[in-house]
Amino acid sequence: MNVDMDTDDWLGCPTPLEMYQHQCALLEDELIQTESMLRKARANVAGLVQMNDLLATEKASAEMALKEALDRISAMSNETSDNQSFRPVDLITQQRDHLFTENQRLLMELKVLRGPLP
């Protein structure tokens, strides 16, 4: 028995045209997903660029403020007008010394006013 019949459509196998159409549909879906991911990535990059610009601006202002503060500190440490220092420790030390000498002077005055002890 010799059977020369086309059996492709017996088993429900798709034709080459149907296979190409299915492949095209898969590729279209993949392209749509890729475009969506690309849009999200572009939005992320734009956000990162804005953040970078903001950080660069803040960094420049912080560096400028630091430079100004360092300049003020160096000017204060080099300044010797009227032999006064502007460093807080020196100011507190001077106040302590002044109060100590004033206290000693007042104690001496008190001793003189009371007179000798019997």
Side-chain angles (χ1 to χ4, degrees):
M1 240 169 102
N2 206 358
V3 177
D4 278 340
M5 299 175 91
D6 192 9
T7 59
D8 287 343
D9 54 343
W10 284 7
L11 302 173
C13 292
T15 64
L17 177 63
E18 290 173 338
M19 287 191 297
Y20 290 134
Q21 288 174 342
H22 180 67
Q23 184 66 28
C24 286
L26 290 175
L27 289 173
E28 285 177 9
D29 289 342
E30 201 172 308
L31 281 174
I32 290 170
Q33 288 177 353
T34 304
E35 285 176 339
S36 173
M37 290 172 22
L38 182 61
R39 259 188 252 108
K40 288 179 185 176
R42 284 182 179 159
N44 287 341
V45 168
L48 290 173
V49 167
Q50 287 177 347
M51 288 171 53
N52 186 40
D53 291 342
L54 180 64
L55 288 174
T57 304
E58 289 177 2
K59 179 186 174 219
S61 66
E63 285 176 345
M64 189 181 308
L66 176 64
K67 184 182 179 301
E68 290 173 2
L70 290 173
D71 289 343
R72 277 189 275 138
I73 288 171
S74 67
M76 285 181 173
S77 65
N78 292 335
E79 188 172 297
T80 58
S81 64
D82 297 334
N83 291 331
Q84 291 182 355
S85 176
F86 290 98
R87 293 186 2 205
V89 173
D90 291 342
L91 289 174
I92 292 171
T93 304
Q94 289 174 358
Q95 291 172 357
R96 183 204 62 198
D97 293 342
H98 173 72
L99 290 174
F100 181 75
T101 56
E102 186 66 21
N103 187 27
Q104 293 300 316
R105 185 187 64 80
L106 291 172
L107 281 173
M108 290 300 289
E109 286 181 13
L110 187 60
K111 285 181 183 179
V112 169
L113 289 175
R114 285 189 181 165
L117 291 176

